[in-house]
């Protein structure tokens, strides 16, 4: 079989590319012929490889502006260019908003909003020097688009990312495109910590119209597209990949309600009930 070469000759940096969604993205770009650099605070347990290609690992914390400047300088020196930045590193533990300390909230905003902004600035400085420019992809989240109870600061930071993407896109067009890819729930090594064992994951998956969590390679495919020439006119845009999102909770409640004369509620009569979705 012929090797894929869509990204042959391109240099791609994936922050937090050592596991989870970032690892899936790194593997996808490797498989398409790119030179891939991943950064993280800890080396991956095993090399990230696709065929004969291996991602280059840099130990670096995205919140440390000096380490990020060193990383970009090293990329320029060693590879001579940077074509794609995937601002992926991020996340948050669950903490009730009433209990979150100011230090905790600031750290979450820093990791998910400020650090990606600072790195985007450094990446833009390199990309702006290249005739072909470059593409910066921010990994967002559906938490930006709906309430985010338990991770309020995270949801706010991810909402900030979407506005940031639009502003940077305007400032840096046409040479550097800036886009977001916003996943819903994705199955990673860490998913069990949030959703429990296989039964828990299946129960959570059943709440999604597609009936399951996304796989990292499905988010990676969206990144391959958004960073490619096929998306050359996309900048400032947000590609949401949420398997159809969340069913409105009121439908489940409405299905159990009668209208006082023994008839089913309007929502059910209007055919909004999804087969298997609501109690009989
Ligand atoms: P993960 O925790 O499995 O992996 C995160 C990666 O980022 C790891 O490699 C980690 O080492 C790295 N990282 C964390 N802090 C870092 C730092 N300070 N410096 C350098 N690297 C750091 O997370 P994930 O679930 O794969 O999430 C990746 C991205 O996708 C995040 O931005 C997250 O907000 C977003 N996201 C995830 C989901 C999901 O369901 N997993 C859903 C929506 C959005």
């Amino acid at each position: 079989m012929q090797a894929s070469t869509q990204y042959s000759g391109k240099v791609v940096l994936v922050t937090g590319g050592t596991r989870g969604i970032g690892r899936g993205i790194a593997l996808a770009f490797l498989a398409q012929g790119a030179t891939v650099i991943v950064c993280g605070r800890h080396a991956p347990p095993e090399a990230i490889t696709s065929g004969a290609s291996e991602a280059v690992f840099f130990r670096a914390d995205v919140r440390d502006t000096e380490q990020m400047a060193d990383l970009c300088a090293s990329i320029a020196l060693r590879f001579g260019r940077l074509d794609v930045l995937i601002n992926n590193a991020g996340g948050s533990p669950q903490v009730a908003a009433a209990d979150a300390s100011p230090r905790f909230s600031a750290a979450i905003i820093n990791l998910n909003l400020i650090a990606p902004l600072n790195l985007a600035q450094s990446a833009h400085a390199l990309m702006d020097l290249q005739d072909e420019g470059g593409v910066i992809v921010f990994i967002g989240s559906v938490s930006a688009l709906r309430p985010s109870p338990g991770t309020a600061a995270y949801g706010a930071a991810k909402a900030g990312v979407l506005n940031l993407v639009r502003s940077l896109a305007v400032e840096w067009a046409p040479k550097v495109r800036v886009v977001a890819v916003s996943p819903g729930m994705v199955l990673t090594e860490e998913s069990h910590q949030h959703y429990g064992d296989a039964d828990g994951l299946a129960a959570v998956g059943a709440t999604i119209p597609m009936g399951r969590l996304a796989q990292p390679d499905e988010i990676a495919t969206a990144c391959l597209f958004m960073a490619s020439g096929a998306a050359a006119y996309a900048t400032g845009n947000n590609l949401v990949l949420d398997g159809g999102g969340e069913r409105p909770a009121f439908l489940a409640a409405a299905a159990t309600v009668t209208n006082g004369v023994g008839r089913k509620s309007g929502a059910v009569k209007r055919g909004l009930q999804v087969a298997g979705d609501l109690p009989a």
Side-chain angles (χ1 to χ4, degrees):
M1 202 172 74
Q2 212 175 359
S4 299
T5 55
Q6 187 188 8
Y7 280 91
S8 182
K10 301 288 186 187
V11 177
V12 179
L13 169 60
V14 185
T15 66
T18 56
R19 72 168 194 225
I21 297 171
R23 182 172 180 278
I25 296 169
L27 286 170
F29 277 98
L30 273 180
Q32 292 293 334
T35 296
V36 176
I37 300 110
V38 296
C39 77
R41 287 170 300 166
H42 312 288
E46 54 192 46
I48 296 167
T49 59
S50 175
S53 309
E54 180 174 333
V56 178
F57 171 71
F58 271 84
R59 190 182 303 277
D61 186 325
V62 292
R63 297 165 300 182
D64 186 320
T65 44
E66 269 181 40
Q67 285 183 16
M68 286 297 105
D70 284 351
L71 172 59
C72 289
S74 301
I75 289 172
L77 199 65
R78 187 160 162 191
F79 304 108
R81 57 187 303 107
L82 177 62
D83 298 285
V84 179
L85 164 64
I86 309 284
N87 253 329
N88 164 78
S92 173
Q94 291 264 340
V95 178
D99 301 329
S101 69
R103 190 158 166 257
F104 173 84
S105 300
I108 296 301
I109 303 284
N110 191 20
L111 174 62
N112 290 285
L113 178 61
I114 310 292
L117 164 60
N118 289 335
L119 182 54
Q121 201 179 28
S122 300
H124 168 261
L126 291 180
M127 293 170 176
D128 206 35
L129 299 173
Q130 302 168 177
D131 290 342
E132 306 85 348
V135 185
I136 300 173
V137 181
F138 286 75
I139 302 301
S141 169
V142 290
S143 293
L145 306 170
R146 53 146 171 79
S148 189
T151 52
Y154 170 78
K158 291 291 191 183
V161 162
L162 296 185
N163 191 269
L164 185 62
V165 161
R166 303 208 70 174
S167 299
L168 299 184
V170 170
E171 288 200 27
W172 296 347
K175 209 156 189 195
V176 175
R177 291 193 297 114
V178 186
V179 294
V181 169
S182 293
M185 285 179 278
V186 184
L187 189 62
T188 70
E189 303 92 314
E190 302 297 304
S191 295
H192 66 279
Q193 292 201 13
H194 303 289
Y195 312 122
D197 58 10
D199 286 349
L201 285 167
V204 170
T207 69
I208 303 167
M210 287 300 285
R212 61 176 178 82
L213 279 66
Q215 295 288 338
D217 66 325
E218 293 173 310
I219 309 307
T221 302
C223 292
L224 287 177
F225 167 68
M226 289 299 261
S228 76
Y233 200 61
T235 195
N237 301 115
N238 176 32
L239 179 53
V240 180
L241 280 177
D242 62 359
E246 294 170 28
R247 294 189 181 101
F250 80 90
L251 288 177
T256 66
V257 170
T258 54
N259 65 3
V261 289
R263 286 204 291 266
K264 285 279 190 186
S265 69
V268 176
K269 279 198 300 183
R270 286 196 299 273
L272 293 177
Q273 180 173 350
V274 178
D277 184 20
L278 304 173

